[in-house]
Amino acid sequence: MSTLSEAPPRRPERPYSRRASLVVLCAGTLMTILDGNIVTVAMPAIQRDLGFSGPDLAWVVNAYLIPFGGLLLLVGRLGDLVGRKRMFTAGLAVFTVASVLCGIATSQGMLLAARAVQGAGGAMASAVVLGMLVGLFPEPRELARAIAVFSAVGAGGGALGTFLGGALTQALDWHWIFLINLPVGIAAWLAAVRVLAPEQGTGLGRGADYPGAALITGALMLTVYVIVGTGARSRTATLLTAALALVLFTAFTVRQARAARPLLRLRLFRSRLVAGANAVQILLIGTMFGFQFIGALYVQRVLGFGELLTGTAFLPAPVTIGVLMLGLSARTIGRFGAYRVLLAGLVLIVVGMGLLSRAPADGSYVADVLPPLLLLATGFAAAMPALTGLAMSGAREEDAGPASGLFNTTQVVGGSLGLAVLSTLAAGRTDELLSQGAELVPATAAGYQLAFRVAALVAAAALVLAAGVLRGRD
């Protein structure tokens, strides 16, 4: 017979499904990645509605990417302190609310401010995912499969955003590319709360480098601001802004060298593989992100496609990336090695961008867009997993978390800078030709051709750097 002093029986701990957790983490990440790209097809509609200039239009994307990339290191550290599940669910909530604000935006300032909050929420949700996957799948083979699925979702999701953006913009209007996140975000948040196992952090008392986060975020924002607005400001103002960005980068480096708990351990850069892979990634992602933005504009403004047809035109890219990453990338890397697979992928990207640089004003989708699109997708599906493996293999075991955060950050930095540089070059060339009396469509096509040529050169630089730096191991 029990007595009042006896403790009540403990309820059995609820089992948590690892596969269900993987699905939830991939779904949340997919939503944040899609919103980095979903606006590309809707750009002309947003420009007409809110009155953005050509160079300033890129800030609709950059306003999301810069806080996303600048905050990844900080919120990754905070996830360790407060618990990764809490950070992930909080990020989904912030992202969803900001999406609604984007959807009801009626001015440039309101849209850009809401996009910046979206970027912060996306960083909160994305920064902790890799750490959660490592905890869910401790066996190396299981972890490799989980990361392959996660990588395919991330890589394919970026291109898939182009299709969804076109479909929603044409069927409804551009506001719905953001408002659709409300039901999706609520469903993802509820699933995350129920499916993901609770996780205790180490406690906020361990501290995080908030000044370091402020320095690196400010430096990144100023750098892209300099590139995007070069033609709209005086040379003196441009040089002063660039100098301030350099000061912030230098201060961040000094801060990381002296901080007790730095966001970024500088010893990571002693590894040739870590430093080289991150440098290659900046060039690679800059090329690919610029292609997604400029390519969508070429198809719309030169070939005359509507939003839905433009999105459909880019749909072969995520399909190709997903099939190759899930079906072939791991086996190909296992057989030939990450270094060779990376170089082969970069060669395909260089060739694809070179073909796009020839796309004329009277071109066609089948002849001038689809072949390079497939080459770029195939090259990216080969290069990205190989580059990730090389970057992580160069880090010590105790530095795996910071190395992952660094790799995520340089990915976003590359996308932001590539988009800023290529869109500015394209707009500048088009304006120059228009001032000389050229017709609109040929001048627009010439601007995009210049951007594609520069992107091909950047991809070639990534190939040369990878061939020279990433061969072998430290």
PDB file of all heavy atoms in Angstrom, residues 412-446:
ATOM      1  N   VAL A 412      26.610  33.679 -46.963  1.00  0.00           N
ATOM      2  CA  VAL A 412      25.719  34.826 -47.082  1.00  0.00           C
ATOM      3  C   VAL A 412      26.488  36.061 -47.534  1.00  0.00           C
ATOM      4  O   VAL A 412      25.992  36.861 -48.342  1.00  0.00           O
ATOM      5  CB  VAL A 412      25.006  35.087 -45.747  1.00  0.00           C
ATOM      6  CG1 VAL A 412      24.082  36.285 -45.850  1.00  0.00           C
ATOM      7  CG2 VAL A 412      24.208  33.859 -45.322  1.00  0.00           C
ATOM      8  N   VAL A 413      27.715  36.238 -47.035  1.00  0.00           N
ATOM      9  CA  VAL A 413      28.532  37.379 -47.447  1.00  0.00           C
ATOM     10  C   VAL A 413      28.780  37.319 -48.953  1.00  0.00           C
ATOM     11  O   VAL A 413      28.661  38.332 -49.665  1.00  0.00           O
ATOM     12  CB  VAL A 413      29.864  37.390 -46.675  1.00  0.00           C
ATOM     13  CG1 VAL A 413      30.827  38.409 -47.274  1.00  0.00           C
ATOM     14  CG2 VAL A 413      29.627  37.708 -45.207  1.00  0.00           C
ATOM     15  N   GLY A 414      29.115  36.142 -49.458  1.00  0.00           N
ATOM     16  CA  GLY A 414      29.353  36.008 -50.890  1.00  0.00           C
ATOM     17  C   GLY A 414      28.124  36.348 -51.705  1.00  0.00           C
ATOM     18  O   GLY A 414      28.212  37.047 -52.727  1.00  0.00           O
ATOM     19  N   GLY A 415      26.964  35.875 -51.268  1.00  0.00           N
ATOM     20  CA  GLY A 415      25.729  36.185 -51.976  1.00  0.00           C
ATOM     21  C   GLY A 415      25.429  37.673 -51.984  1.00  0.00           C
ATOM     22  O   GLY A 415      25.050  38.241 -53.017  1.00  0.00           O
ATOM     23  N   SER A 416      25.611  38.316 -50.842  1.00  0.00           N
ATOM     24  CA  SER A 416      25.324  39.751 -50.753  1.00  0.00           C
ATOM     25  C   SER A 416      26.252  40.566 -51.641  1.00  0.00           C
ATOM     26  O   SER A 416      25.813  41.443 -52.404  1.00  0.00           O
ATOM     27  CB  SER A 416      25.470  40.216 -49.301  1.00  0.00           C
ATOM     28  OG  SER A 416      24.611  39.509 -48.450  1.00  0.00           O
ATOM     29  N   LEU A 417      27.544  40.292 -51.550  1.00  0.00           N
ATOM     30  CA  LEU A 417      28.510  41.066 -52.333  1.00  0.00           C
ATOM     31  C   LEU A 417      28.375  40.778 -53.821  1.00  0.00           C
ATOM     32  O   LEU A 417      28.477  41.687 -54.654  1.00  0.00           O
ATOM     33  CB  LEU A 417      29.927  40.763 -51.854  1.00  0.00           C
ATOM     34  CG  LEU A 417      30.244  41.190 -50.413  1.00  0.00           C
ATOM     35  CD1 LEU A 417      31.675  40.846 -50.050  1.00  0.00           C
ATOM     36  CD2 LEU A 417      29.999  42.680 -50.231  1.00  0.00           C
ATOM     37  N   GLY A 418      28.164  39.508 -54.190  1.00  0.00           N
ATOM     38  CA  GLY A 418      27.998  39.180 -55.595  1.00  0.00           C
ATOM     39  C   GLY A 418      26.799  39.875 -56.199  1.00  0.00           C
ATOM     40  O   GLY A 418      26.868  40.434 -57.301  1.00  0.00           O
ATOM     41  N   LEU A 419      25.697  39.862 -55.475  1.00  0.00           N
ATOM     42  CA  LEU A 419      24.491  40.529 -55.952  1.00  0.00           C
ATOM     43  C   LEU A 419      24.722  42.029 -56.090  1.00  0.00           C
ATOM     44  O   LEU A 419      24.328  42.651 -57.087  1.00  0.00           O
ATOM     45  CB  LEU A 419      23.339  40.256 -54.987  1.00  0.00           C
ATOM     46  CG  LEU A 419      22.035  40.999 -55.243  1.00  0.00           C
ATOM     47  CD1 LEU A 419      21.491  40.660 -56.620  1.00  0.00           C
ATOM     48  CD2 LEU A 419      21.014  40.654 -54.167  1.00  0.00           C
ATOM     49  N   ALA A 420      25.368  42.627 -55.093  1.00  0.00           N
ATOM     50  CA  ALA A 420      25.605  44.075 -55.126  1.00  0.00           C
ATOM     51  C   ALA A 420      26.489  44.465 -56.299  1.00  0.00           C
ATOM     52  O   ALA A 420      26.191  45.406 -57.040  1.00  0.00           O
ATOM     53  CB  ALA A 420      26.237  44.517 -53.804  1.00  0.00           C
ATOM     54  N   VAL A 421      27.583  43.745 -56.502  1.00  0.00           N
ATOM     55  CA  VAL A 421      28.522  44.086 -57.573  1.00  0.00           C
ATOM     56  C   VAL A 421      27.886  43.895 -58.941  1.00  0.00           C
ATOM     57  O   VAL A 421      27.928  44.791 -59.804  1.00  0.00           O
ATOM     58  CB  VAL A 421      29.803  43.229 -57.451  1.00  0.00           C
ATOM     59  CG1 VAL A 421      30.683  43.413 -58.678  1.00  0.00           C
ATOM     60  CG2 VAL A 421      30.569  43.604 -56.191  1.00  0.00           C
ATOM     61  N   LEU A 422      27.289  42.735 -59.171  1.00  0.00           N
ATOM     62  CA  LEU A 422      26.763  42.431 -60.502  1.00  0.00           C
ATOM     63  C   LEU A 422      25.565  43.302 -60.865  1.00  0.00           C
ATOM     64  O   LEU A 422      25.445  43.750 -62.013  1.00  0.00           O
ATOM     65  CB  LEU A 422      26.390  40.944 -60.582  1.00  0.00           C
ATOM     66  CG  LEU A 422      27.565  39.976 -60.430  1.00  0.00           C
ATOM     67  CD1 LEU A 422      27.082  38.523 -60.488  1.00  0.00           C
ATOM     68  CD2 LEU A 422      28.628  40.214 -61.488  1.00  0.00           C
ATOM     69  N   SER A 423      24.676  43.553 -59.916  1.00  0.00           N
ATOM     70  CA  SER A 423      23.522  44.400 -60.223  1.00  0.00           C
ATOM     71  C   SER A 423      23.955  45.840 -60.490  1.00  0.00           C
ATOM     72  O   SER A 423      23.397  46.514 -61.366  1.00  0.00           O
ATOM     73  CB  SER A 423      22.507  44.352 -59.082  1.00  0.00           C
ATOM     74  OG  SER A 423      23.062  44.851 -57.878  1.00  0.00           O
ATOM     75  N   THR A 424      24.959  46.320 -59.760  1.00  0.00           N
ATOM     76  CA  THR A 424      25.461  47.671 -59.993  1.00  0.00           C
ATOM     77  C   THR A 424      26.122  47.789 -61.357  1.00  0.00           C
ATOM     78  O   THR A 424      25.916  48.772 -62.084  1.00  0.00           O
ATOM     79  CB  THR A 424      26.455  48.064 -58.881  1.00  0.00           C
ATOM     80  OG1 THR A 424      25.802  47.995 -57.612  1.00  0.00           O
ATOM     81  CG2 THR A 424      26.978  49.473 -59.088  1.00  0.00           C
ATOM     82  N   LEU A 425      26.921  46.799 -61.732  1.00  0.00           N
ATOM     83  CA  LEU A 425      27.568  46.821 -63.046  1.00  0.00           C
ATOM     84  C   LEU A 425      26.537  46.794 -64.170  1.00  0.00           C
ATOM     85  O   LEU A 425      26.659  47.531 -65.158  1.00  0.00           O
ATOM     86  CB  LEU A 425      28.518  45.625 -63.173  1.00  0.00           C
ATOM     87  CG  LEU A 425      29.805  45.681 -62.355  1.00  0.00           C
ATOM     88  CD1 LEU A 425      30.554  44.354 -62.466  1.00  0.00           C
ATOM     89  CD2 LEU A 425      30.684  46.829 -62.822  1.00  0.00           C
ATOM     90  N   ALA A 426      25.524  45.938 -64.022  1.00  0.00           N
ATOM     91  CA  ALA A 426      24.500  45.834 -65.065  1.00  0.00           C
ATOM     92  C   ALA A 426      23.736  47.143 -65.210  1.00  0.00           C
ATOM     93  O   ALA A 426      23.521  47.636 -66.335  1.00  0.00           O
ATOM     94  CB  ALA A 426      23.540  44.694 -64.742  1.00  0.00           C
ATOM     95  N   ALA A 427      23.327  47.727 -64.094  1.00  0.00           N
ATOM     96  CA  ALA A 427      22.572  48.980 -64.152  1.00  0.00           C
ATOM     97  C   ALA A 427      23.425  50.118 -64.719  1.00  0.00           C
ATOM     98  O   ALA A 427      22.952  50.936 -65.518  1.00  0.00           O
ATOM     99  CB  ALA A 427      22.067  49.351 -62.755  1.00  0.00           C
ATOM    100  N   GLY A 428      24.699  50.171 -64.337  1.00  0.00           N
ATOM    101  CA  GLY A 428      25.579  51.224 -64.838  1.00  0.00           C
ATOM    102  C   GLY A 428      25.800  51.132 -66.337  1.00  0.00           C
ATOM    103  O   GLY A 428      25.775  52.148 -67.044  1.00  0.00           O
ATOM    104  N   ARG A 429      26.013  49.917 -66.848  1.00  0.00           N
ATOM    105  CA  ARG A 429      26.210  49.737 -68.294  1.00  0.00           C
ATOM    106  C   ARG A 429      24.940  50.088 -69.069  1.00  0.00           C
ATOM    107  O   ARG A 429      25.015  50.750 -70.120  1.00  0.00           O
ATOM    108  CB  ARG A 429      26.608  48.287 -68.571  1.00  0.00           C
ATOM    109  CG  ARG A 429      26.790  47.943 -70.047  1.00  0.00           C
ATOM    110  CD  ARG A 429      27.860  48.789 -70.682  1.00  0.00           C
ATOM    111  NE  ARG A 429      28.111  48.376 -72.052  1.00  0.00           N
ATOM    112  CZ  ARG A 429      28.717  49.146 -72.965  1.00  0.00           C
ATOM    113  NH1 ARG A 429      29.128  50.371 -72.625  1.00  0.00           N
ATOM    114  NH2 ARG A 429      28.909  48.708 -74.196  1.00  0.00           N
ATOM    115  N   THR A 430      23.800  49.682 -68.555  1.00  0.00           N
ATOM    116  CA  THR A 430      22.540  50.002 -69.226  1.00  0.00           C
ATOM    117  C   THR A 430      22.301  51.507 -69.262  1.00  0.00           C
ATOM    118  O   THR A 430      21.939  52.065 -70.311  1.00  0.00           O
ATOM    119  CB  THR A 430      21.367  49.306 -68.504  1.00  0.00           C
ATOM    120  OG1 THR A 430      21.537  47.889 -68.592  1.00  0.00           O
ATOM    121  CG2 THR A 430      20.042  49.683 -69.143  1.00  0.00           C
ATOM    122  N   ASP A 431      22.511  52.193 -68.151  1.00  0.00           N
ATOM    123  CA  ASP A 431      22.325  53.644 -68.106  1.00  0.00           C
ATOM    124  C   ASP A 431      23.287  54.350 -69.062  1.00  0.00           C
ATOM    125  O   ASP A 431      22.913  55.349 -69.723  1.00  0.00           O
ATOM    126  CB  ASP A 431      22.544  54.158 -66.680  1.00  0.00           C
ATOM    127  CG  ASP A 431      21.428  53.735 -65.736  1.00  0.00           C
ATOM    128  OD1 ASP A 431      20.353  53.328 -66.223  1.00  0.00           O
ATOM    129  OD2 ASP A 431      21.648  53.781 -64.512  1.00  0.00           O
ATOM    130  N   GLU A 432      24.515  53.857 -69.156  1.00  0.00           N
ATOM    131  CA  GLU A 432      25.492  54.457 -70.065  1.00  0.00           C
ATOM    132  C   GLU A 432      25.027  54.361 -71.516  1.00  0.00           C
ATOM    133  O   GLU A 432      25.101  55.339 -72.284  1.00  0.00           O
ATOM    134  CB  GLU A 432      26.840  53.758 -69.893  1.00  0.00           C
ATOM    135  CG  GLU A 432      27.926  54.260 -70.838  1.00  0.00           C
ATOM    136  CD  GLU A 432      29.206  53.440 -70.745  1.00  0.00           C
ATOM    137  OE1 GLU A 432      29.238  52.480 -69.946  1.00  0.00           O
ATOM    138  OE2 GLU A 432      30.151  53.759 -71.478  1.00  0.00           O
ATOM    139  N   LEU A 433      24.539  53.179 -71.904  1.00  0.00           N
ATOM    140  CA  LEU A 433      24.087  52.993 -73.281  1.00  0.00           C
ATOM    141  C   LEU A 433      22.822  53.797 -73.570  1.00  0.00           C
ATOM    142  O   LEU A 433      22.658  54.346 -74.666  1.00  0.00           O
ATOM    143  CB  LEU A 433      23.848  51.506 -73.548  1.00  0.00           C
ATOM    144  CG  LEU A 433      25.105  50.627 -73.550  1.00  0.00           C
ATOM    145  CD1 LEU A 433      24.730  49.163 -73.695  1.00  0.00           C
ATOM    146  CD2 LEU A 433      26.058  51.057 -74.660  1.00  0.00           C
ATOM    147  N   LEU A 434      21.926  53.874 -72.596  1.00  0.00           N
ATOM    148  CA  LEU A 434      20.708  54.664 -72.791  1.00  0.00           C
ATOM    149  C   LEU A 434      21.040  56.142 -72.980  1.00  0.00           C
ATOM    150  O   LEU A 434      20.403  56.848 -73.787  1.00  0.00           O
ATOM    151  CB  LEU A 434      19.764  54.485 -71.601  1.00  0.00           C
ATOM    152  CG  LEU A 434      19.075  53.117 -71.475  1.00  0.00           C
ATOM    153  CD1 LEU A 434      18.276  53.038 -70.181  1.00  0.00           C
ATOM    154  CD2 LEU A 434      18.163  52.855 -72.671  1.00  0.00           C
ATOM    155  N   SER A 435      22.033  56.625 -72.249  1.00  0.00           N
ATOM    156  CA  SER A 435      22.435  58.036 -72.392  1.00  0.00           C
ATOM    157  C   SER A 435      23.056  58.320 -73.750  1.00  0.00           C
ATOM    158  O   SER A 435      23.088  59.468 -74.198  1.00  0.00           O
ATOM    159  CB  SER A 435      23.425  58.415 -71.286  1.00  0.00           C
ATOM    160  OG  SER A 435      24.656  57.719 -71.458  1.00  0.00           O
ATOM    161  N   GLN A 436      23.539  57.256 -74.410  1.00  0.00           N
ATOM    162  CA  GLN A 436      24.116  57.391 -75.744  1.00  0.00           C
ATOM    163  C   GLN A 436      23.083  57.188 -76.852  1.00  0.00           C
ATOM    164  O   GLN A 436      23.437  57.187 -78.039  1.00  0.00           O
ATOM    165  CB  GLN A 436      25.263  56.391 -75.922  1.00  0.00           C
ATOM    166  CG  GLN A 436      26.431  56.626 -74.975  1.00  0.00           C
ATOM    167  CD  GLN A 436      27.471  55.512 -75.032  1.00  0.00           C
ATOM    168  OE1 GLN A 436      27.327  54.555 -75.790  1.00  0.00           O
ATOM    169  NE2 GLN A 436      28.520  55.642 -74.228  1.00  0.00           N
ATOM    170  N   GLY A 437      21.814  56.978 -76.476  1.00  0.00           N
ATOM    171  CA  GLY A 437      20.759  56.859 -77.460  1.00  0.00           C
ATOM    172  C   GLY A 437      20.351  55.449 -77.812  1.00  0.00           C
ATOM    173  O   GLY A 437      19.562  55.255 -78.750  1.00  0.00           O
ATOM    174  N   ALA A 438      20.870  54.453 -77.110  1.00  0.00           N
ATOM    175  CA  ALA A 438      20.507  53.065 -77.408  1.00  0.00           C
ATOM    176  C   ALA A 438      19.063  52.793 -77.008  1.00  0.00           C
ATOM    177  O   ALA A 438      18.502  53.466 -76.129  1.00  0.00           O
ATOM    178  CB  ALA A 438      21.445  52.105 -76.684  1.00  0.00           C
ATOM    179  N   GLU A 439      18.452  51.798 -77.650  1.00  0.00           N
ATOM    180  CA  GLU A 439      17.106  51.397 -77.285  1.00  0.00           C
ATOM    181  C   GLU A 439      17.124  50.611 -75.978  1.00  0.00           C
ATOM    182  O   GLU A 439      18.147  50.040 -75.590  1.00  0.00           O
ATOM    183  CB  GLU A 439      16.484  50.566 -78.403  1.00  0.00           C
ATOM    184  CG  GLU A 439      16.286  51.337 -79.702  1.00  0.00           C
ATOM    185  CD  GLU A 439      15.602  50.498 -80.765  1.00  0.00           C
ATOM    186  OE1 GLU A 439      15.281  49.316 -80.473  1.00  0.00           O
ATOM    187  OE2 GLU A 439      15.389  51.010 -81.888  1.00  0.00           O
ATOM    188  N   LEU A 440      15.950  50.549 -75.305  1.00  0.00           N
ATOM    189  CA  LEU A 440      15.895  50.012 -73.953  1.00  0.00           C
ATOM    190  C   LEU A 440      16.295  48.543 -73.883  1.00  0.00           C
ATOM    191  O   LEU A 440      17.143  48.164 -73.067  1.00  0.00           O
ATOM    192  CB  LEU A 440      14.477  50.190 -73.380  1.00  0.00           C
ATOM    193  CG  LEU A 440      14.253  49.626 -71.972  1.00  0.00           C
ATOM    194  CD1 LEU A 440      15.192  50.276 -70.967  1.00  0.00           C
ATOM    195  CD2 LEU A 440      12.805  49.805 -71.545  1.00  0.00           C
ATOM    196  N   VAL A 441      15.698  47.693 -74.714  1.00  0.00           N
ATOM    197  CA  VAL A 441      15.955  46.255 -74.605  1.00  0.00           C
ATOM    198  C   VAL A 441      17.411  45.909 -74.937  1.00  0.00           C
ATOM    199  O   VAL A 441      18.065  45.178 -74.176  1.00  0.00           O
ATOM    200  CB  VAL A 441      14.974  45.461 -75.487  1.00  0.00           C
ATOM    201  CG1 VAL A 441      15.362  43.969 -75.507  1.00  0.00           C
ATOM    202  CG2 VAL A 441      13.553  45.613 -74.954  1.00  0.00           C
ATOM    203  N   PRO A 442      17.986  46.405 -76.053  1.00  0.00           N
ATOM    204  CA  PRO A 442      19.409  46.112 -76.305  1.00  0.00           C
ATOM    205  C   PRO A 442      20.325  46.650 -75.202  1.00  0.00           C
ATOM    206  O   PRO A 442      21.312  45.992 -74.835  1.00  0.00           O
ATOM    207  CB  PRO A 442      19.672  46.803 -77.642  1.00  0.00           C
ATOM    208  CG  PRO A 442      18.341  46.879 -78.308  1.00  0.00           C
ATOM    209  CD  PRO A 442      17.373  47.113 -77.188  1.00  0.00           C
ATOM    210  N   ALA A 443      20.009  47.831 -74.668  1.00  0.00           N
ATOM    211  CA  ALA A 443      20.845  48.385 -73.596  1.00  0.00           C
ATOM    212  C   ALA A 443      20.740  47.531 -72.334  1.00  0.00           C
ATOM    213  O   ALA A 443      21.747  47.291 -71.646  1.00  0.00           O
ATOM    214  CB  ALA A 443      20.414  49.819 -73.297  1.00  0.00           C
ATOM    215  N   THR A 444      19.530  47.075 -72.034  1.00  0.00           N
ATOM    216  CA  THR A 444      19.341  46.213 -70.864  1.00  0.00           C
ATOM    217  C   THR A 444      20.090  44.900 -71.040  1.00  0.00           C
ATOM    218  O   THR A 444      20.763  44.422 -70.113  1.00  0.00           O
ATOM    219  CB  THR A 444      17.845  45.945 -70.641  1.00  0.00           C
ATOM    220  OG1 THR A 444      17.162  47.185 -70.472  1.00  0.00           O
ATOM    221  CG2 THR A 444      17.628  45.081 -69.411  1.00  0.00           C
ATOM    222  N   ALA A 445      19.986  44.303 -72.232  1.00  0.00           N
ATOM    223  CA  ALA A 445      20.693  43.047 -72.502  1.00  0.00           C
ATOM    224  C   ALA A 445      22.199  43.222 -72.389  1.00  0.00           C
ATOM    225  O   ALA A 445      22.905  42.354 -71.853  1.00  0.00           O
ATOM    226  CB  ALA A 445      20.322  42.527 -73.889  1.00  0.00           C
ATOM    227  N   ALA A 446      22.721  44.345 -72.867  1.00  0.00           N
ATOM    228  CA  ALA A 446      24.163  44.594 -72.775  1.00  0.00           C
ATOM    229  C   ALA A 446      24.615  44.714 -71.328  1.00  0.00           C
ATOM    230  O   ALA A 446      25.712  44.258 -70.961  1.00  0.00           O
ATOM    231  CB  ALA A 446      24.512  45.862 -73.555  1.00  0.00           C
TER     232      ALA A 446
END
